[in-house]
Amino acid sequence: GVVTLPAGTGRDVRILVFANPEGQTTAREAGADFVGAEDLANEIQGGWTDFDLVLATPDMMRVVGRLGRVLGPRGLMPSPKAGTIVQADDLPRVIEEARLGRVEFRVDKTANIHIAIGKASFEKDNLVKNFDAIMDAIMAAKPSSIKGIYLRRITITSTMGPGIKVNVNEASNAGDVLAN
């Protein structure tokens, strides 16, 4: 799933957009860092990967498809599920969301979700807002066919820091849990 964090991620995102000439103008006006088509594809095939997010319009997927071996392992390949294949008129909205703190989450092969909720320097209220938004998005992504326990454990940790266990039953009231 995808969620926009209310307090952002604390990172600057470098956005690359593959679009036709009309979409390129729209993307530049919306604030994309790199905009192009075949020219960018050739640079990426040459080894350039100095960007954090790749957006593409549907008509450019024939160009982007060739980059699957480079972008796929890095998790940068545009996909409709992640909301990174967008119509040209939706580019400003998606670029703005990415700048504000849009993050993608997915389950890895060991059934864990790893997602950053902010930086250690964030105010406590901002971390609580981000955690609450993520918990809402995860619970909303629950397939209707799943019965029983959906979340078994929640642990919050800083990078290379000790983990803090969160009571799963109280996680929906994240503001109350993390405020203590």
Side-chain angles (χ1 to χ4, degrees):
V2 178
V3 62
T4 301
L5 302 177
T9 60
R11 293 180 44 196
D12 289 330
V13 180
R14 295 165 299 185
I15 302 171
L16 180 140
V17 177
F18 285 99
N20 56 25
E22 299 84 34
Q24 290 178 13
T25 304
T26 304
R28 277 192 192 92
E29 291 171 358
D33 298 305
F34 309 103
V35 180
E38 292 282 344
D39 53 335
L40 287 178
N42 292 335
E43 285 185 45
I44 292 170
Q45 285 178 331
W48 176 68
T49 57
D50 194 25
F51 46 86
D52 302 311
L53 176 68
V54 178
L55 301 175
T57 56
D59 59 331
M60 294 306 293
M61 284 309 293
R62 62 179 172 71
V63 174
V64 178
R66 298 189 318 239
L67 305 173
R69 289 188 177 158
V70 177
L71 299 177
R74 290 178 174 82
L76 297 173
M77 188 70 179
S79 72
K81 200 172 202 179
T84 52
I85 297 178
V86 295
Q87 297 296 329
D89 54 339
D90 284 340
L91 279 172
R93 176 187 58 82
V94 175
I95 291 170
E96 180 66 23
E97 285 178 2
R99 295 267 185 234
L100 292 175
R102 178 181 177 179
V103 291
E104 179 182 346
F105 61 91
R106 66 179 79 171
V107 178
D108 66 10
K109 61 184 173 185
T110 58
N112 292 315
I113 298 175
H114 302 272
I115 187 168
I117 65 170
K119 292 188 172 190
S121 61
F122 275 21
E123 295 291 325
K124 181 170 68 170
D125 293 338
N126 290 339
L127 289 172
V128 169
K129 283 189 235 174
N130 284 352
F131 180 77
D132 206 17
I134 289 170
M135 288 306 301
D136 290 344
I138 290 171
M139 295 311 288
K142 176 183 177 184
S144 59
S145 62
I146 292 183
K147 304 294 182 217
I149 300 173
Y150 183 54
L151 291 175
R152 295 193 184 275
R153 283 190 304 254
I154 301 172
T155 305
I156 299 176
T157 183
S158 63
T159 304
M160 301 300 292
I164 301 168
K165 293 183 180 179
V166 176
N167 185 332
V168 176
N169 296 327
E170 295 176 6
S172 60
N173 301 326
D176 299 337
V177 173
L178 294 178
N180 296 330

